[in-house]
Amino acid sequence: MREIVYEPAREIPVYDQCDVLVVGGGPAGVTAAVAARNSGAGRVVLLERYAHLGGMSTGGQVLLIPFLSDPALNGGKEQLVAGLMNEWIDRLRACPNGAFGPEKEEIGSDDPAVLAKYRSHTLFIRNERIMYGVNCDPEMLKVVLNDMTEAAGVTIYCHCLCCRAIVEEGRVIGVFFESKEGRKAVLAQVVIDCTGDGDVFATAGAAFESSSLTMARTANTSLVFRLGGVSYERYAQGLKAMPEAGKKLREAAQIAGYPLQLISSNRDDIIWVDSLIPRDCMTITGLTETAFLTTRTVNRLIAYLRGAFPGLEDAYLYDFAPQVGVRGSRRLKGVERFTIDHLGARTGLDSIIAVLPTVNGREAYPRMEMPYGILVPEKLDGLLAAGRCFSSSEEANQEANWIPHCIALGQGAGTAAALAVKSGVQPRAVDLKRLRGMLREQGVYL
């Protein structure tokens, strides 16, 4: 068998040129593109490989957008992840069944009636106070994010797969992409890598770290799916009253072939089935095996669930996520690195662009202060990276790469890119005091 073939050299047409190019339309990418336009970037292009925006939050069906407030701060009534996060949620709430979760006026509430309303739902209660967040409808979120980017004046190109960064004299000036129209290029003054896997900075030659596949969360992939014809409330209440619940859930996992969790969605009659499947998401076989393992066992799993749990007697397969879910892969080596020592620590840095609640909330200072340098490559110019591939240790990354964290970092990156373009400087040289001022004006908590 031949081991190598040679690809002929060819001239690649430039499809577009812009001020800011965002590669990847996931939570970080959508927010970065909108933030760049809102911050004064003239032409912003968003390049997305699928036919929808939202990445893991839509195509990956990660229905939860949690951890938006901190019960330990100001009586629990302070929303930390705000800014464009509010536009996501406000637009979703304006749609029929777009989102389920606490209202803003319920943030921090310890009212027993309010707590009872959300008691059975994951991640809405901490320390007996309401934490802000929502379960969203991923299909309606696709509509919302299309509307949001178009309203901001972002130019969107779907079905365009970024293949390689274009680098000249140590600076990223654009990317090559493949499409139905063939191989093309987009050039930009600043490129933001929001691919999640660091596809731009890796092909540009930037230094990065890779997942060791040893962390409890980020080493696992998923192909999540939803079940219809159920009652989540009856399931949750029945689970509490069932002495053998743990045994039955373990049996369900054995049938499925992976650990799983049944989680509430935006509606009582739909349940979300999440999974943890240890596979290397940077290989063809790893991604394929996750998809086929899930489909191979789903019918046997549903048959078992129907007979084992109240509320699931009439369960049926509603849909599979169109994308395999990924939690960790490449991480940029940036001018600053977020480590586990920064978790729950007051850093005193004047470069903070986001302050995020911690996942478990048990730290004395249950917040994460994210500095701008985690988005900036050590040496490469013309480039920022936002989303789960930010500069970090693996242990710290799995604590800070959830959907809202990616949204917050996306807003910081998009605002910084616009400021770099307007100031005529490289992203590493933006005025941090001015950047932080712009973020505060956008409603970002610092």
Side-chain angles (χ1 to χ4, degrees), residues 46 121 155 304 440:
L46 178 58
H121 298 272
T155 299
Y304 177 81
R440 281 197 178 95

Side-chain angles (χ1 to χ4, degrees), residues 119-437:
R119 180 72 66 188
S120 61
H121 298 272
T122 309
L123 306 179
F124 290 155
I125 298 176
R126 180 188 287 172
N127 301 334
E128 288 303 294
R129 287 188 180 273
I130 294 295
M131 237 186 139
Y132 195 42
V134 293
N135 293 351
C136 66
D137 177 351
E139 300 307 311
M140 192 57 72
L141 184 55
K142 292 175 184 177
V143 176
V144 161
L145 297 181
N146 282 3
D147 290 347
M148 187 172 164
T149 48
E150 287 189 321
V154 176
T155 299
I156 306 149
Y157 298 133
C158 288
H159 287 295
C160 294
L161 176 64
C162 171
C163 299
R164 191 170 190 84
I166 306 170
V167 183
E168 288 185 356
E169 299 179 347
R171 177 180 163 227
V172 176
I173 63 166
V175 302
F176 296 113
F177 68 92
E178 288 287 352
S179 70
K180 287 294 185 182
E181 297 182 40
R183 195 174 182 91
K184 308 284 184 182
V186 177
L187 305 182
Q189 295 187 56
V190 177
V191 177
I192 308 177
D193 185 345
C194 293
T195 61
D197 294 320
D199 294 336
V200 180
F201 65 65
T203 59
F208 62 87
E209 300 176 74
S210 295
S211 173
S212 67
L213 303 181
T214 59
M215 291 290 105
R217 180 169 161 269
T218 51
N220 287 277
T221 59
S222 297
L223 182 68
V224 305
F225 55 92
R226 294 186 291 176
L227 301 178
V230 304
S231 170
Y232 177 79
E233 282 299 332
R234 280 211 305 121
Y235 164 76
Q237 296 305 319
L239 208 61
K240 292 178 185 177
M242 188 182 295
E244 69 278 22
K247 177 174 178 275
K248 288 192 172 185
L249 287 171
R250 287 191 295 274
E251 288 174 351
Q254 288 175 349
I255 292 168
Y258 49 81
L260 54 85
Q261 198 173 5
L262 277 63
I263 301 174
S264 65
S265 74
N266 60 304
R267 298 167 48 132
D268 182 62
D269 60 347
I270 296 174
I271 279 183
W272 176 46
V273 183
D274 194 14
S275 56
L276 292 171
I277 303 175
R279 294 286 188 276
D280 186 349
C281 68
M282 299 302 290
T283 66
I284 296 168
T285 55
L287 294 170
T288 304
E289 287 166 359
T290 290
F292 274 73
L293 170 61
T294 309
T295 59
R296 192 180 301 129
T297 62
V298 69
N299 285 324
R300 295 197 302 275
L301 174 62
I302 293 171
Y304 177 81
L305 294 175
R306 290 175 70 148
F309 297 102
L312 307 186
E313 297 91 348
D314 298 315
Y316 62 88
L317 179 63
Y318 187 79
D319 61 1
F320 282 108
Q323 295 174 228
V324 170
V326 174
R327 296 176 174 91
S329 53
R330 301 187 189 105
R331 302 183 310 281
L332 178 72
K333 282 191 176 181
V335 299
E336 294 180 88
R337 187 171 184 259
F338 186 76
T339 71
I340 205 69
D341 292 333
H342 296 107
L343 198 74
R346 295 181 185 271
T347 65
L349 295 172
D350 59 4
S351 59
I352 296 168
I353 57 161
V355 179
L356 310 172
T358 58
V359 174
N360 63 45
R362 288 190 286 271
E363 298 82 1
Y365 179 68
R367 288 180 277 294
M368 294 178 279
E369 298 180 348
M370 315 298 282
Y372 176 62
I374 64 175
L375 310 181
V376 184
E378 286 178 321
K379 297 178 181 178
L380 207 60
D381 280 328
L383 182 68
L384 293 168
R388 68 172 182 265
C389 55
F390 67 94
S391 178
S392 52
S393 69
E394 188 170 15
E395 190 179 14
N397 185 273
Q398 74 168 358
E399 298 293 321
N401 71 2
W402 296 64
I403 298 294
H405 303 69
C406 293
I407 290 169
L409 294 181
Q411 184 154 8
T415 304
L419 179 57
V421 170
K422 292 194 296 182
S423 304
V425 300
Q426 289 300 319
R428 71 180 65 254
V430 297
D431 184 327
L432 291 178
K433 183 176 180 181
R434 190 175 170 195
L435 172 60
R436 283 163 52 85

